[in-house]
Amino acid sequence: MRYIFIGSGAIGGSIGGRLHESGRSVVLVARGAHFEALRDNGLRLGVPTGTLTLDVPVVARPEDVALREDDVLVLAVKTQDSVAALDAWAARPVAGGGTAGQRLPLVCAQNGVENERLALRRFHEVYGMCVVLPSTYLNPGEVVAPCGPYTGALVIGRYGTGSDATARRIADDLEKAHFLAPVATDVMRWKYGKLLGNLANVVEAVCGSSSDAAAQDLVARAKAEGASALDAAGIAYASEAEITELRSGTVDPQPIAGERTRGSSWQSLARGAGSIETDYLNGEIVLLGREHGVPTPVNAALQHAARESVSQGRDPGGLTAGELSRRIAEGVTA
């Protein structure tokens, strides 16, 4: 099987780089300066044992790679970029006949829970992946993944119908590439559990850190709203204890000198990416709350603050946790 990573930042670069290192066939898809750096200098992947320089094949467009019947597409862009990426790849022809959407499996290696539904409209075979993989992408051509003994935990399962032989083959390749990769029949339960943890991402991004008492209070309140909304919707989710058990002793931080791991939303603001995934994290809770009559003022305020930070071109830390708490108290949530 050959793995084509649609998006080669922190997640796609880490997984794709490790698979390439283990001898699997990999193609990275990247844009702009990141594509140029990967093409000219290879992928520099920082791991606890040192920096790997990996000469992974890279392309800039779907048209630049001829798809084969043994390809696996791995979607690793942020959710706000999923529709454009899915539309660009679903209609691509595959050797022997048919299109990617008809013939190739697609794995959603992404935060949030909307991507699988978007993908299933366009692809016959869709797999969810709950990604527990602290990693950072800030500079073109460079990704840092500072955990061990496994680089990350990647729970995988077929979307809608549980596990199958393809999921197990992918998991086997991942296990040989420094990942813990359990196959689950209920992968979305894991992804909803991860969603609750990701509600903290925007606090770190907007406030610069989520470690002080005021920020921790916001995080706790956002998660409480999230659990209430999921419960009201009747959606099962993995507990925080389950996710902690999954990674404890397997995906442990092993700091790399000069590197500090930040959340994906913080990285988006720091890179000036022009968009942020909060609408599909905290915004998912706001949506469920509105559908099921559960108030979600904290998540709504965080969603608004994230949009504001992007539109005004703010760096991480543009607002304090105290200011956000004041906004919530005053009802400024949207």
Side-chain angles (χ1 to χ4, degrees):
M1 290 167 33
R2 180 177 66 167
Y3 294 89
I4 298 175
F5 282 83
I6 306 168
S8 302
I11 301 304
S14 295
I15 303 174
R18 281 301 210 182
L19 282 169
H20 173 86
E21 181 201 16
S22 72
R24 271 56 191 176
S25 182
V26 172
V27 176
L28 301 178
V29 183
R31 300 178 297 179
H34 192 42
F35 163 74
E36 293 172 0
L38 293 171
R39 178 196 62 197
D40 296 342
N41 304 309
L43 171 66
R44 288 176 54 82
L45 178 60
V47 296
T49 55
T51 298
L52 308 171
T53 300
L54 304 169
D55 189 19
V56 189
V58 60
V59 300
R61 306 175 304 159
E63 295 81 6
D64 296 334
V65 57
L67 296 179
R68 312 184 314 214
E69 61 182 357
D70 64 342
D71 284 338
V72 175
L73 303 181
V74 182
L75 189 63
V77 298
K78 298 293 198 312
T79 307
Q80 64 269 25
D81 298 320
S82 286
V83 169
L86 290 165
D87 286 344
W89 286 86
R92 295 301 302 160
V94 178
T99 66
Q102 293 167 336
R103 298 190 58 197
L104 299 184
L106 180 131
V107 180
C108 295
Q110 301 160 286
N111 287 332
V113 293
E114 182 64 17
N115 299 288
E116 287 77 9
R117 294 183 73 248
L118 294 172
L120 200 60
R121 297 175 190 274
R122 298 160 174 84
F123 284 80
H124 180 67
E125 291 183 65
V126 174
Y127 296 80
M129 179 178 283
C130 177
V131 178
V132 181
L133 172 52
S135 53
T136 302
Y137 159 57
L138 293 176
N139 300 309
E142 300 178 5
V143 172
V144 179
C147 286
Y150 291 97
T151 299
L154 309 173
V155 182
I156 186 171
R158 183 158 178 167
Y159 180 61
T161 57
S163 65
D164 62 9
T166 298
R168 289 189 288 273
R169 287 180 65 195
I170 295 170
D172 183 60
D173 282 349
L174 291 169
E175 290 276 5
K176 294 172 181 174
H178 300 277
F179 292 101
L180 182 67
V183 177
T185 58
D186 56 351
V187 67
M188 294 310 294
R189 187 180 76 88
W190 285 93
K191 294 200 72 166
Y192 274 102
K194 177 77 182 322
L195 173 67
L196 290 181
N198 287 143
L199 299 180
N201 288 18
V202 66
V203 177
E204 179 194 35
V206 171
C207 302
S209 170
S210 58
S211 60
D212 64 59
Q216 284 294 301
D217 178 66
L218 283 176
V219 170
R221 292 165 66 189
K223 289 182 178 180
E225 288 181 0
S228 295
L230 292 178
D231 290 342
I235 296 172
Y237 52 92
S239 67
E240 185 174 353
E242 286 179 280
I243 294 176
T244 298
E245 182 179 3
L246 173 71
R247 64 178 298 176
S248 180
T250 56
V251 184
D252 289 335
Q254 296 183 4
I256 298 173
E259 301 288 350
R260 183 177 179 184
T261 303
R262 297 284 198 168
S264 55
S265 298
W266 187 98
Q267 294 175 47
S268 292
L269 289 187
R271 289 200 315 272
S275 67
I276 196 167
E277 63 189 332
T278 312
D279 282 344
Y280 297 97
L281 302 178
N282 306 78
E284 181 72 27
I285 299 306
V286 173
L287 170 63
L288 290 172
R290 290 169 179 167
E291 288 180 335
H292 297 280
V294 176
T296 58
V298 174
N299 283 285
L302 294 173
Q303 185 182 9
H304 176 71
R307 290 175 177 168
E308 184 181 84
S309 293
V310 170
S311 66
Q312 296 184 10
R314 289 177 181 154
D315 290 329
L319 288 174
T320 68
E323 171 63 16
L324 285 174
S325 297
R326 183 189 64 76
R327 291 186 178 190
I328 296 166
E330 293 177 354
V332 183
T333 61

